[in-house]
Amino acid sequence: GSQKANQLHTDFVTFEPHVFADKLLSFMTGRRAIPEDPEEDEDEEEERRSVVRVPTAGWEKLGEEARRHFNRAPAFHFLYGSFNREAKARESRKL
Amino acid sequence: LTQAQRAAESLSRQEIERKVNEVVQFFLIMEQKKAAVKRADITKHILKEHSKVFPVVLEKAKKKLREVFGVSVEELEGKDKRYILVNLVDTPDGQDHLNMLDEGPKSGLLLVVLSLIFMKGNVIQDTLLWHTLKRLGIQENQPHEVLGDVKSLLTKEFTRQLYLEYKRVPQSDPPSFEFRWGPRAHKETTKRRVLQFVSKMYGSESLEIWTSQYQDVLRSEGGEGGGQ
Amino acid sequence: MATAMTDAHRMFLQSIMTHGALKAREVKALYKKCCETFNRPVEHENLGKFVNEINHHVGPFSMMIQKGVSEEDGVQYYALVNMMESDITHLASDYTETELEFFKKVLDLIVDSDTGVASSTDVLNLTDLLHEEQNRKMRKKEAEDVIRRMVRDRWLNEHQGEISLSVRGILELKPYLMEHYKDDIRQCCLCDQIALKGQLCQSDSCEAKMHYFCANRYFRDKDQPSCPRCKADWDHMVIQG
Ligand SMILES: [Zn+2]
Ligand SMILES: [Zn+2]
């Protein structure tokens, strides 16, 4: 039954980085992954894939997803106190 | 009384309180660059000649950071005492009360790299990593339009922040390098959460479909026995 | 005993720590979200009390959430500011020493200008001054990036090529402004707050200065706008923020 099929299924799912990269591409760009093209040989396909450009919005979307997965602590940011005060005040410039 | 408590008595209660407040401020300022805080840094900048009170002051500072700011001080493995901050405030929609400034894309890239490392058995050759990133439009030696100098991001910034470890494979000739998760990655996220992200990219909820990686998750949650 | 911090307080504090400055409207929405996330009753009239409770706990670390009015549009903002300079605050690393020296030069330009704004070209040319006076090298491109980051972090505002100090900058740098520039810093004759971005009285002998939004309110029902101090005609331009 389904248990057997499920068992079969899990044996075949090995992690392929290039497949993961295509999944990420479609997540970031919304376009379906670049289809495999049988006639294309390895180098041509490589060439076509490497000229990929993900717009900034795609990386922002991935960033929004990523923030959920890290428990990042906030830092204390300031300007006053980060530079030392001059010993003396500046003479007035007003006439 | 421990030696530290005896030393603490040499300082007045107000002085201890002031040192504690300075240590709290120090941690939150060091978080600007996500640098790890060493015991030696705290002694040099704050305790100075009163270094023996370190344990008492650190304990009190940890409590204040937890109760006031909702962050926990985590000690990292290793002989010299190093500490980082991790967020304790758990919001349902995942930290979106924090402003990411323009760090979003960088943390997106970090999550991709951590996923690749974990899914390839907790270590990945740099050649395979760059080959994979090329498919996302990232070239090893070319500045990226959004992410800038990605090579220095992965091998310098993220390693300095302890998100990644970048080491040469011993006796490799020509030298080859490997990436692993750094100690901060282990503290700020978990293998389970990264596997959830990977599964989501494959459009699936289930983690079990990744047999060996899911075993790794269970081991990492198994408590003492769990490997890094 | 002061009220203890709850998760709602911590979530609110963390958010404002990372946002630099938030409009009052955004703060109310954040307060509502923090209360709802940790099922606390949302009582908007208690926002002030809520912020004071946080200020009580963060005070020892020389932090404070303050309210201020933006010189751009008269809108109220909240910002978390650092109140004290110390050896520890000198360890801050958001900006390098050269970038901070550059920022001080930008402040000089803003304070010296009658209307509290510096043109972006003048600001970029400060790199030459930096080089002459302090032998610090900063390329124009780097200066552009510093300005971009300071606008992002809500220290500066950039509006049609004009750069001014933001409400966060004024709130936090007030002690420095008063101590370093002394009388060159003018107060608005209507609201008594620091007035960098604003309009001067036309008559040379009079030093009155007004925020544009304060002038809008003050002159709204007056057909003959005149300086409240010296009664000289006030060339009032209704400026949208
Ligand atoms: Zn005014
Ligand atoms: Zn006048």
Side-chain angles (χ1 to χ4, degrees):
Chain A
S2 72
Q3 178 53 27
K4 179 107 186 42
N6 193 359
Q7 182 52 33
L8 263 178
H9 179 64
T10 53
D11 292 342
F12 292 128
V13 178
T14 53
F15 178 74
E16 290 297 344
H18 68 276
V19 173
F20 180 51
D22 287 342
K23 302 285 182 187
L24 287 167
L25 262 184
S26 54
F27 174 77
M28 289 201 276
T29 61
R31 286 195 305 278
R32 247 186 4 75
I34 302 174
E36 297 295 337
D37 178 350
E39 288 87 31
E40 236 176 6
D41 66 26
E42 176 62 28
D43 302 335
E44 277 162 353
E45 191 217 334
E46 210 38 59
E47 192 32 49
R48 182 161 57 79
R49 281 190 190 288
S50 71
V51 79
V52 156
R53 197 189 74 77
V54 177
T56 312
W59 284 103
E60 297 286 358
K61 184 179 177 195
L62 188 64
E64 278 310 304
E65 176 64 30
R67 79 162 55 231
R68 244 181 272 298
H69 295 278
F70 293 99
N71 292 346
R72 265 176 214 276
F76 180 21
H77 298 279
F78 49 84
L79 265 186
Y80 178 68
S82 63
F83 50 83
N84 23 42
R85 291 187 299 255
E86 272 76 36
K88 59 173 181 44
R90 195 190 64 155
E91 318 78 33
S92 165
R93 291 272 174 81
K94 294 297 173 214
L95 303 105
Chain B
L1 281 177
T2 68
Q3 206 200 5
Q5 276 147 352
R6 255 203 312 290
E9 263 137 34
S10 67
L11 282 173
S12 71
R13 226 175 49 72
Q14 285 76 17
E15 273 160 346
I16 290 283
E17 192 63 17
R18 209 158 40 76
K19 299 280 183 210
V20 169
N21 293 337
E22 283 172 359
V23 168
V24 168
Q25 214 187 25
F26 183 73
F27 265 110
L28 291 168
I29 292 171
M30 287 304 114
E31 192 58 32
Q32 288 173 0
K33 283 282 183 293
K34 283 203 167 296
V37 169
K38 299 195 200 68
R39 170 173 179 155
D41 303 333
I42 292 179
T43 302
K44 177 179 164 215
H45 292 292
I46 297 162
L47 303 183
K48 301 188 171 110
E49 69 283 9
H50 299 289
S51 66
K52 288 204 188 53
V53 299
F54 176 79
V56 172
V57 167
L58 181 66
E59 226 32 58
K60 285 177 183 283
K62 275 185 176 182
K63 186 164 179 292
K64 286 199 174 189
L65 281 163
R66 198 175 49 251
E67 285 171 359
V68 178
F69 296 94
V71 297
S72 100
V73 177
E74 300 282 330
E75 184 173 343
L76 301 180
E77 262 96 28
K79 48 177 177 27
D80 54 349
K81 295 265 190 264
R82 289 180 312 162
Y83 305 90
I84 61 166
L85 297 184
V86 173
N87 204 328
L88 288 172
V89 171
D90 191 12
T91 57
D93 38 32
Q95 304 295 3
D96 76 352
H97 63 295
L98 300 178
N99 175 11
M100 298 276 284
L101 291 173
D102 40 20
E103 300 286 301
K106 273 201 230 175
S107 62
L109 173 70
L110 176 63
L111 181 56
V112 167
V113 174
L114 291 176
S115 306
L116 286 165
I117 294 170
F118 168 61
M119 295 303 283
K120 292 299 282 180
N122 298 312
V123 61
I124 191 170
Q125 286 272 344
D126 61 347
T127 42
L128 174 58
L129 178 64
W130 289 113
H131 183 69
T132 310
L133 292 180
K134 208 168 138 194
R135 297 175 88 96
L136 299 176
I138 294 173
Q139 309 283 348
E140 180 176 359
N141 295 313
Q142 268 174 21
H144 185 269
E145 177 195 7
V146 174
L147 298 156
D149 180 345
V150 180
K151 179 148 187 150
S152 111
L153 196 54
L154 296 189
T155 60
K156 295 202 183 80
E157 187 170 329
F158 285 156
T159 47
R160 204 175 37 242
Q161 294 174 338
L162 305 175
Y163 277 116
L164 296 178
E165 270 171 13
Y166 179 59
K167 289 216 175 73
R168 195 187 138 167
V169 178
Q171 284 97 31
S172 57
D173 187 20
S176 72
F177 291 81
E178 285 171 342
F179 283 97
R180 286 182 173 73
W181 281 27
R184 184 184 286 276
H186 286 291
K187 297 282 185 187
E188 281 196 12
T189 190
T190 64
K191 294 186 176 188
R192 178 176 289 275
R193 288 166 86 177
V194 168
L195 190 56
Q196 280 163 351
F197 166 67
V198 172
S199 287
K200 179 174 179 179
M201 292 301 113
Y202 282 76
S204 134
E205 296 277 317
S206 111
L207 305 188
E208 295 78 4
I209 56 173
W210 309 99
T211 328
S212 60
Q213 287 87 353
Y214 189 58
Q215 293 311 320
D216 194 354
V217 166
L218 297 179
R219 271 199 311 277
S220 74
E221 291 165 349
E224 287 325 307
Q228 277 303 345
Chain C
M1 240 296 277
T3 357
M5 290 278 280
T6 67
D7 272 336
H9 291 93
R10 286 183 276 268
M11 178 178 172
F12 185 97
L13 172 57
Q14 286 192 0
S15 187
I16 198 162
M17 278 172 79
T18 64
H19 278 96
L22 288 169
K23 288 192 171 83
R25 177 172 48 75
E26 292 166 324
V27 165
K28 287 194 177 64
L30 173 62
Y31 170 67
K32 182 167 181 293
K33 193 153 166 254
C34 294
C35 293
E36 282 163 355
T37 303
F38 296 102
N39 31 58
R40 240 179 101 99
V42 183
E43 299 139 349
H44 278 296
E45 68 283 6
N46 280 350
L47 173 58
K49 184 159 107 37
F50 186 78
V51 169
N52 288 337
E53 284 159 3
I54 295 175
N55 277 338
H56 171 80
H57 288 280
V58 296
F61 318 115
S62 85
M63 291 177 181
M64 186 178 178
I65 297 171
Q66 292 183 349
K67 282 192 285 192
V69 173
S70 157
E71 292 193 314
E72 303 288 321
D73 48 24
V75 168
Q76 196 176 60
Y77 281 75
Y78 288 69
L80 182 91
V81 302
N82 175 36
M83 307 284 289
M84 206 180 62
E85 181 185 354
S86 70
D87 295 343
I88 295 167
T89 59
H90 287 158
L91 301 171
S93 56
D94 281 344
Y95 295 96
T96 65
E97 216 182 293
T98 299
E99 289 168 349
L100 291 170
E101 286 306 318
F102 173 72
F103 172 69
K104 284 192 215 168
K105 293 268 175 255
V106 175
L107 277 187
D108 287 348
L109 277 187
I110 289 173
V111 170
D112 291 345
S113 103
D114 289 341
T115 55
V117 292
S119 78
S120 35
T121 22
D122 292 346
V123 164
L124 294 183
N125 292 334
L126 289 173
T127 52
D128 309 329
L129 199 61
L130 212 54
H131 191 234
E132 281 151 37
E133 283 180 5
Q134 302 176 24
N135 195 19
R136 289 180 187 274
K137 290 200 182 43
M138 180 186 268
R139 292 194 316 276
K140 293 275 190 295
K141 244 180 109 30
E142 286 163 313
E144 256 167 35
D145 186 56
V146 176
I147 297 297
R148 181 190 63 78
R149 279 186 288 140
M150 287 200 159
V151 170
R152 176 199 68 185
D153 296 346
R154 299 287 183 85
W155 295 116
L156 296 174
N157 288 326
E158 186 160 13
H159 185 59
Q160 289 159 357
E162 286 191 328
I163 290 165
S164 55
L165 191 58
S166 77
V167 57
R168 182 189 190 189
I170 292 177
L171 277 175
E172 185 170 276
L173 291 165
K174 188 169 180 183
Y176 175 76
L177 293 172
M178 302 312 276
E179 186 194 58
H180 185 63
Y181 296 102
K182 287 200 164 39
D183 307 332
D184 293 351
I185 299 288
R186 297 241 180 93
Q187 266 77 22
C188 168
C189 57
L190 295 174
C191 71
D192 284 328
Q193 297 302 310
I194 286 182
L196 292 176
K197 188 164 188 178
Q199 198 181 1
L200 280 178
C201 170
Q202 281 170 312
S203 92
D204 294 340
S205 56
C206 170
E207 295 210 330
K209 187 169 187 179
M210 277 192 229
H211 290 119
Y212 294 113
F213 58 88
C214 290
N216 283 353
R217 243 183 259 126
Y218 180 70
F219 292 128
R220 182 165 300 143
D221 46 21
K222 296 190 173 51
D223 41 25
Q224 251 306 341
S226 62
C227 168
R229 282 228 185 107
C230 73
K231 303 304 173 225
D233 286 347
W234 190 282
D235 163 21
H236 172 51
M237 304 165 287
V238 180
I239 305 269
Q240 290 328 318

